[in-house]
Amino acid sequence: MRPFRFAIISDPHIALPHTIRQIPNRFHLVEVSIPVFEAILADLAEADLDFLLLPGDLTQHGERENHEWLVNRLRQLPFPVYVVPGNHDVLTRAGGDAQRPVGAPCPLSLKEFPHLYRDFGYDGSDLPYYRQEILPGLHLIGLNSIAFDQEGNQIPYGYLTAPQRHWLEGNLRDCADQWVMVMIHHNVLEHLPGQSRHPLGQRYILRNRKALLKHLQSSPVALLLTGHLHVQDVVQREGLWEVTTGSLVSYPHPYRILTATPTATGQLEIQIETHRILSVADWPDLQAASLDWMRDRAFGFMVRLLTCPPFSLSLAEAEQYAPHLQDFWARISAGDGDLTYPQLPSPLQEQLRTFGAVDDAGNYCAIDNATTLMLSHGRR
C-alpha cells in the first residue's frame, strides 16, 4: 500500500440561513456552518488529499434543501468524499419532522439517504451502510448508528440493527487481509468517564457497542472514526483506536488531516494534525465569539452534570460551583484539556480532572489534537 492522506470534517450541521431555527440557548452555532465549511474546503484544496470523511450530522435538522445543498457542494470537490448519517440527518424512518413549518419540504427518510448520497460511499441500494475499497488495499466501512422504534421515531442513542451486524460480520471476513477503517456517527469507545452509563453521556455512544466490539476483536479494523460528541478526543482500548472529531459549528471549529505511511515492519503509521478556523465573514474572531457563546450556555448544563454521578452533588452545591466551570465543556471540546480548578474542593477537583486529557494512571497525556498512531494487522 502507498502512503495516503485524508481529512475529517465532523458534524457540519449545514443550515442555509432561512432554515435556521431560533431556539433559546441553542448550543450549535449554525449561523457559521456554511462559511466555516467553505473556509475548511479552501484549506483542503491545498492539502493534497486522497479523500475526505464526514462522520454524520451533515445537516442541522435533516432539512431536504440543506442535504441537497451539501450534495451539490461535495460534487464540486477534486477528491472523493464519504459520509454516514447522524441523528440530525434522518429524524424519522419515513421522513418528517413535527417542528417543520406548514408547507415546508419533508425531511429525508432513511431509505432516501443512501440514494441522495450515492456518490459518497453508497452503492445505489437502499442499505444505509456500505463497504468501499477506497484505495488499493484500503477499505472503508461506513455504518449507520441511527435506529428507530416500532412507530418509526428515532431512538435517542446509537444502535446497530441485527441485519447490519450480520452484514458487517461477512464484510469483515471478506477483507481480512486488507487495511480497514470504520466510520460511524456515535462513539463506540468511551471518551468521557463512564460515558456509556452516564445519563448525559449515553445518547452519544452506541447502546450495543459490546456487540460491535465483539465483531471487531479478530477483525482487521484498528481505527474507528466517529463524531456526535462535538469534542476532540483520541482513545485506545485493547489495540483499537477511536478518533472522534469536534463539530464544525461548535468551539473550537476544528478539522483533522491524517497522513498514513506504511512501515517496513508491516504497520501503518497514522499522523494526526488538527486545524481550527479562526475567522469567517461577520465573525472576525470566531474563536473568541464561539467560546463566549458556549460559556453563556454552560450554567444549566454544568448543574445537570454536577448533580449526576460520579459527582452527585446537591442542587445547591451544583449551583454554587457551576459559575466556576463555565469553560469546562469548552476545554473538553478543544481536546488536550488539563482540567484543574484550584478554587474548588479537592475531591471535586480530582473528579473533574478525570474528564480531561489524562491516561489510566492519571498522568496528563496530550494526544487529542496531534499524535502518531501505529496500527497493526492482527492486533489482538
PDB file of all heavy atoms in Angstrom, residues 108-119:
ATOM      1  N   LEU A 108     -35.684  14.069   4.860  1.00  0.00           N
ATOM      2  CA  LEU A 108     -35.365  12.786   4.236  1.00  0.00           C
ATOM      3  C   LEU A 108     -35.821  11.598   5.064  1.00  0.00           C
ATOM      4  O   LEU A 108     -35.815  11.649   6.299  1.00  0.00           O
ATOM      5  CB  LEU A 108     -33.854  12.660   4.036  1.00  0.00           C
ATOM      6  CG  LEU A 108     -33.166  13.507   2.974  1.00  0.00           C
ATOM      7  CD1 LEU A 108     -31.708  13.089   2.884  1.00  0.00           C
ATOM      8  CD2 LEU A 108     -33.847  13.396   1.631  1.00  0.00           C
ATOM      9  N   SER A 109     -36.144  10.518   4.385  1.00  0.00           N
ATOM     10  CA  SER A 109     -36.357   9.231   5.037  1.00  0.00           C
ATOM     11  C   SER A 109     -35.038   8.470   5.030  1.00  0.00           C
ATOM     12  O   SER A 109     -34.103   8.797   4.290  1.00  0.00           O
ATOM     13  CB  SER A 109     -37.421   8.426   4.289  1.00  0.00           C
ATOM     14  OG  SER A 109     -36.932   8.050   3.001  1.00  0.00           O
ATOM     15  N   LEU A 110     -34.963   7.424   5.841  1.00  0.00           N
ATOM     16  CA  LEU A 110     -33.753   6.611   5.877  1.00  0.00           C
ATOM     17  C   LEU A 110     -33.514   5.941   4.522  1.00  0.00           C
ATOM     18  O   LEU A 110     -32.366   5.813   4.076  1.00  0.00           O
ATOM     19  CB  LEU A 110     -33.855   5.551   6.970  1.00  0.00           C
ATOM     20  CG  LEU A 110     -32.603   4.699   7.176  1.00  0.00           C
ATOM     21  CD1 LEU A 110     -31.431   5.553   7.635  1.00  0.00           C
ATOM     22  CD2 LEU A 110     -32.868   3.577   8.179  1.00  0.00           C
ATOM     23  N   LYS A 111     -34.589   5.549   3.843  1.00  0.00           N
ATOM     24  CA  LYS A 111     -34.443   4.904   2.533  1.00  0.00           C
ATOM     25  C   LYS A 111     -33.879   5.870   1.499  1.00  0.00           C
ATOM     26  O   LYS A 111     -33.115   5.472   0.605  1.00  0.00           O
ATOM     27  CB  LYS A 111     -35.798   4.364   2.066  1.00  0.00           C
ATOM     28  CG  LYS A 111     -35.743   3.588   0.760  1.00  0.00           C
ATOM     29  CD  LYS A 111     -37.113   3.010   0.421  1.00  0.00           C
ATOM     30  CE  LYS A 111     -37.058   2.218  -0.887  1.00  0.00           C
ATOM     31  NZ  LYS A 111     -38.387   1.623  -1.213  1.00  0.00           N
ATOM     32  N   GLU A 112     -34.237   7.144   1.603  1.00  0.00           N
ATOM     33  CA  GLU A 112     -33.758   8.140   0.636  1.00  0.00           C
ATOM     34  C   GLU A 112     -32.292   8.508   0.836  1.00  0.00           C
ATOM     35  O   GLU A 112     -31.607   8.877  -0.119  1.00  0.00           O
ATOM     36  CB  GLU A 112     -34.602   9.416   0.734  1.00  0.00           C
ATOM     37  CG  GLU A 112     -36.026   9.282   0.235  1.00  0.00           C
ATOM     38  CD  GLU A 112     -36.801  10.556   0.482  1.00  0.00           C
ATOM     39  OE1 GLU A 112     -36.997  10.923   1.659  1.00  0.00           O
ATOM     40  OE2 GLU A 112     -37.208  11.200  -0.506  1.00  0.00           O
ATOM     41  N   PHE A 113     -31.817   8.422   2.084  1.00  0.00           N
ATOM     42  CA  PHE A 113     -30.480   8.921   2.393  1.00  0.00           C
ATOM     43  C   PHE A 113     -29.395   8.296   1.516  1.00  0.00           C
ATOM     44  O   PHE A 113     -28.604   9.030   0.905  1.00  0.00           O
ATOM     45  CB  PHE A 113     -30.161   8.711   3.878  1.00  0.00           C
ATOM     46  CG  PHE A 113     -28.850   9.314   4.301  1.00  0.00           C
ATOM     47  CD1 PHE A 113     -28.792  10.608   4.785  1.00  0.00           C
ATOM     48  CD2 PHE A 113     -27.672   8.591   4.193  1.00  0.00           C
ATOM     49  CE1 PHE A 113     -27.589  11.179   5.158  1.00  0.00           C
ATOM     50  CE2 PHE A 113     -26.459   9.154   4.562  1.00  0.00           C
ATOM     51  CZ  PHE A 113     -26.412  10.448   5.041  1.00  0.00           C
ATOM     52  N   PRO A 114     -29.298   6.954   1.416  1.00  0.00           N
ATOM     53  CA  PRO A 114     -28.217   6.392   0.595  1.00  0.00           C
ATOM     54  C   PRO A 114     -28.359   6.686  -0.888  1.00  0.00           C
ATOM     55  O   PRO A 114     -27.367   6.638  -1.627  1.00  0.00           O
ATOM     56  CB  PRO A 114     -28.298   4.890   0.879  1.00  0.00           C
ATOM     57  CG  PRO A 114     -29.674   4.660   1.369  1.00  0.00           C
ATOM     58  CD  PRO A 114     -30.079   5.907   2.084  1.00  0.00           C
ATOM     59  N   HIS A 115     -29.554   7.012  -1.355  1.00  0.00           N
ATOM     60  CA  HIS A 115     -29.725   7.353  -2.768  1.00  0.00           C
ATOM     61  C   HIS A 115     -29.277   8.792  -3.025  1.00  0.00           C
ATOM     62  O   HIS A 115     -28.613   9.070  -4.029  1.00  0.00           O
ATOM     63  CB  HIS A 115     -31.177   7.144  -3.187  1.00  0.00           C
ATOM     64  CG  HIS A 115     -31.589   5.697  -3.201  1.00  0.00           C
ATOM     65  ND1 HIS A 115     -31.271   4.840  -4.226  1.00  0.00           N
ATOM     66  CD2 HIS A 115     -32.249   4.954  -2.279  1.00  0.00           C
ATOM     67  CE1 HIS A 115     -31.737   3.630  -3.955  1.00  0.00           C
ATOM     68  NE2 HIS A 115     -32.338   3.676  -2.778  1.00  0.00           N
ATOM     69  N   LEU A 116     -29.627   9.700  -2.116  1.00  0.00           N
ATOM     70  CA  LEU A 116     -29.191  11.083  -2.282  1.00  0.00           C
ATOM     71  C   LEU A 116     -27.667  11.171  -2.219  1.00  0.00           C
ATOM     72  O   LEU A 116     -27.041  11.918  -2.978  1.00  0.00           O
ATOM     73  CB  LEU A 116     -29.822  11.971  -1.215  1.00  0.00           C
ATOM     74  CG  LEU A 116     -29.478  13.456  -1.304  1.00  0.00           C
ATOM     75  CD1 LEU A 116     -29.972  14.051  -2.617  1.00  0.00           C
ATOM     76  CD2 LEU A 116     -30.074  14.224  -0.128  1.00  0.00           C
ATOM     77  N   TYR A 117     -27.051  10.381  -1.343  1.00  0.00           N
ATOM     78  CA  TYR A 117     -25.601  10.406  -1.162  1.00  0.00           C
ATOM     79  C   TYR A 117     -24.912   9.251  -1.892  1.00  0.00           C
ATOM     80  O   TYR A 117     -23.873   8.773  -1.470  1.00  0.00           O
ATOM     81  CB  TYR A 117     -25.266  10.373   0.330  1.00  0.00           C
ATOM     82  CG  TYR A 117     -25.574  11.678   1.036  1.00  0.00           C
ATOM     83  CD1 TYR A 117     -26.793  11.868   1.685  1.00  0.00           C
ATOM     84  CD2 TYR A 117     -24.652  12.720   1.037  1.00  0.00           C
ATOM     85  CE1 TYR A 117     -27.085  13.076   2.321  1.00  0.00           C
ATOM     86  CE2 TYR A 117     -24.941  13.927   1.663  1.00  0.00           C
ATOM     87  CZ  TYR A 117     -26.154  14.095   2.303  1.00  0.00           C
ATOM     88  OH  TYR A 117     -26.426  15.292   2.927  1.00  0.00           O
ATOM     89  N   ARG A 118     -25.497   8.857  -3.016  1.00  0.00           N
ATOM     90  CA  ARG A 118     -24.966   7.700  -3.762  1.00  0.00           C
ATOM     91  C   ARG A 118     -23.553   7.928  -4.287  1.00  0.00           C
ATOM     92  O   ARG A 118     -22.832   6.968  -4.572  1.00  0.00           O
ATOM     93  CB  ARG A 118     -25.901   7.347  -4.917  1.00  0.00           C
ATOM     94  CG  ARG A 118     -26.067   8.439  -5.947  1.00  0.00           C
ATOM     95  CD  ARG A 118     -27.116   8.087  -6.976  1.00  0.00           C
ATOM     96  NE  ARG A 118     -27.352   9.174  -7.932  1.00  0.00           N
ATOM     97  CZ  ARG A 118     -28.183  10.198  -7.701  1.00  0.00           C
ATOM     98  NH1 ARG A 118     -28.838  10.280  -6.549  1.00  0.00           N
ATOM     99  NH2 ARG A 118     -28.340  11.138  -8.612  1.00  0.00           N
ATOM    100  N   ASP A 119     -23.122   9.165  -4.432  1.00  0.00           N
ATOM    101  CA  ASP A 119     -21.770   9.447  -4.920  1.00  0.00           C
ATOM    102  C   ASP A 119     -20.744   9.500  -3.795  1.00  0.00           C
ATOM    103  O   ASP A 119     -19.562   9.750  -4.045  1.00  0.00           O
ATOM    104  CB  ASP A 119     -21.738  10.795  -5.664  1.00  0.00           C
ATOM    105  CG  ASP A 119     -22.570  10.779  -6.930  1.00  0.00           C
ATOM    106  OD1 ASP A 119     -22.714   9.691  -7.519  1.00  0.00           O
ATOM    107  OD2 ASP A 119     -23.075  11.846  -7.309  1.00  0.00           O
TER     108      ASP A 119
END
